[in-house]
Amino acid sequence: MNLLVFAAVLAAMLAVRFFLKNLHILVWLALWWVALFVVFKYGIEPPLPASIVNMFMAIVTLALLAYLSATTSYLRQATEAVVRFMVDRRFTVPLVVVLLTVPALVAWQVYAERTARPTPPVSGRTIHPPPPNTISFKGKTIDLVNGENPYRALETSDPEAFAAHVENGRRIYYENCVFCHGDNMEGDGLFAHGYDPLPANFNDPTTIAMLQETYLFWRIAKGGPGLPSESTPWASAMPAWENFLTEEEIWDVILFLYDYTGFRPRAREEIH
């Protein structure tokens, strides 16, 4: 989160609220639309994909229209302003400009997006960076080298308890991860097209099948913000899930990833 952007937008809206009290309702709603766009576009780190920003702005637009239509006087003011702009001869030139400019801008945006060439990063980056030896998770030290999933042993010692953890992992996956990694864990979720690179395809044998469960715990817990420098710049919106999930929930979703794909986690290597 970029607090400077939040503070600037808040200050600007407060200034408008107290110093420009007679703004037309349409101008006031337009200012809210622009302010929220700036917050979503520049106030959140890591940056949101364009598809998510567009979705949020569509929701904001509907919310502002609902607010406008909820009050008769506001709706009347807006309707009269639009009708006056459309039929009053004084606004003929601005109306023509708007009618030509809006579709031209949309066409240019579509053309620019479709013809833009992928831009390589300014420097090489590592897709699977080496993990640190340990990480801190909510004040607890997790050993990524010698540690293990504490619930993996239940697979043989208590299959019923193990199944309960897998089921809990299923719930967590479909509540949080499916939107990017997809229904079948192939990295083709609803928002996947907005990412570069695409979300990991867990059915690819070169992903989780090659990794220890502690590695997955690290990447899930720390997300995009926790990537080491050799893996950046990275247009990943993967959040640091340690801010939203408990340690047990992260271990459980890891169990579900391996259970669903049929892969086995990479065994810990003994060094002699």
Side-chain angles (χ1 to χ4, degrees), residues 141-163:
T141 299
I142 304 293
D143 188 339
L144 300 184
V145 177
N146 300 309
E148 294 179 342
N149 189 328
Y151 307 106
R152 175 61 65 182
L154 296 174
E155 190 172 16
T156 53
S157 64
D158 190 344
E160 185 174 343
F162 181 78

Side-chain angles (χ1 to χ4, degrees), residues 75 103 177 193 253:
L75 185 60
C177 315
H193 67 282
V253 79

